[in-house]
Amino acid sequence: NAGVTQTPKFRILKIGQSMTLQCAQDMNHNYMYWYRQDPGMGLKLIYYSVGAGITDKGEVPNGYNVSRSTTEDFPLRLELAAPSQTSVYFCASSYDRSTNEKLFFGSGTQLSVL
Amino acid sequence: DQQVKQNSPSLSVQEGRISILNCDYTNSMFDYFLWYKKYPAEGPTFLISISSIKDKNEDGRFTVFLNKSAKHLSLHIVPSQPGDSAVYFCAASAYRYSGGSNYKLTFGKGTLLTVNP
């Protein structure tokens, strides 16, 4: 059982370049999330999705876009990379939204924008 | 405005002793709290949680205590083991006030626990 898979693990971008961070889960979870973690900081929610075709903004959505065409996949798009987007990005998923539900995280993508 | 605070960036304890990690919150609407553990180059993994209707939850060596009046929770690890060395994140959500969803978790900055053999 792979759980939540993120690719790539590392990436260096130049300012203004674009890229897509991939995230896939094989647990048939309805809810998926993208977080970023800056050095010495907690995780901040970028976007989330409650099911295929439904996405919404989190705490720090500026500079990012998402789509959810299938239950399994939730890619995060950076259109014009900026140094402020240098961070570690985590994708997560959960089955439901009960009080006992917990998030399952991928191993992260380390992104540097130079 | 940091709503979930972990004021100790790091903690070092001896193997076999108790580790106590602390977390404070400011948002009175938070009613569900979680602890996550993170090893280097890995994603966070769920450790233990507690609802605001309880003041204690235990799972093996891990116990979380919640003091709602003080807006404080703590994670106790007894006995501590070298494999417990990791970053521990405290997270909170306003489950009842978010229409029944816990997806908007607010995380603290984390505490690096080092357990020395």
Side-chain angles (χ1 to χ4, degrees):
Chain A
N1 191 345
V4 179
T5 303
Q6 288 184 240
T7 56
K9 292 191 181 299
F10 304 94
R11 184 72 185 268
I12 298 175
L13 286 181
K14 293 182 180 179
I15 295 172
Q17 285 187 319
S18 302
M19 78 162 294
T20 299
L21 282 67
Q22 302 291 344
C23 175
Q25 52 91 9
D26 61 359
M27 297 175 282
N28 200 30
H29 283 174
N30 293 318
Y31 295 80
M32 296 188 75
Y33 321 80
W34 274 105
Y35 285 88
R36 61 177 284 176
Q37 184 191 12
D38 298 331
M41 302 296 288
L43 284 76
K44 293 188 183 297
L45 182 63
I46 306 171
Y47 269 95
Y48 64 92
S49 169
V50 300
I54 306 170
T55 63
D56 206 346
K57 296 177 181 179
E59 185 181 355
V60 288
N62 291 342
Y64 307 95
N65 280 301
V66 294
S67 59
R68 184 95 181 271
S69 57
T70 67
T71 299
E72 294 77 21
D73 301 297
F74 190 40
L76 178 72
R77 178 81 177 164
L78 283 72
E79 290 295 347
L80 292 170
S84 61
Q85 293 177 304
T86 294
S87 190
V88 180
Y89 292 82
F90 292 101
C91 179
S93 71
S94 64
Y95 179 71
D96 206 337
R97 56 185 190 183
S98 68
T99 54
N100 295 322
E101 197 56 46
K102 56 185 180 288
L103 303 185
F104 293 84
F105 284 86
S107 59
T109 296
Q110 172 83 58
L111 175 67
S112 295
V113 182
L114 305 176
Chain B
D1 180 28
Q2 204 178 340
Q3 299 185 62
V4 177
K5 301 177 183 179
Q6 294 178 256
N7 292 321
S8 297
S10 63
L11 174 68
S12 182
V13 300
Q14 286 298 120
E15 181 177 6
R17 298 290 186 96
I18 184 172
S19 294
I20 300 176
L21 294 94
N22 294 304
C23 178
D24 298 294
Y25 62 96
T26 58
N27 189 340
S28 300
M29 293 192 292
F30 286 151
D31 55 7
Y32 185 56
F33 305 89
L34 308 91
W35 285 94
Y36 281 83
K37 176 179 177 180
K38 184 184 180 303
Y39 292 118
E42 295 184 10
T45 55
F46 171 78
L47 189 59
I48 194 169
S49 63
I50 188 167
S51 166
S52 59
I53 62 174
K54 296 184 177 181
D55 54 19
K56 176 183 174 181
N57 189 25
E58 192 171 356
D59 184 2
R61 296 185 297 113
F62 302 92
T63 303
V64 56
F65 295 92
L66 175 62
N67 183 334
K68 290 188 291 294
S69 60
K71 294 190 178 66
H72 176 83
L73 62 155
S74 60
L75 174 68
H76 292 211
I77 307 174
V78 184
S80 301
Q81 300 174 353
D84 296 329
S85 297
V87 176
Y88 289 78
F89 290 99
C90 173
S93 73
Y95 178 78
R96 285 175 297 168
Y97 299 97
S98 64
S101 173
N102 72 345
Y103 50 77
K104 291 185 179 178
L105 290 180
T106 300
F107 285 83
K109 293 183 179 182
T111 296
L112 173 63
L113 172 66
T114 303
V115 180
N116 301 302

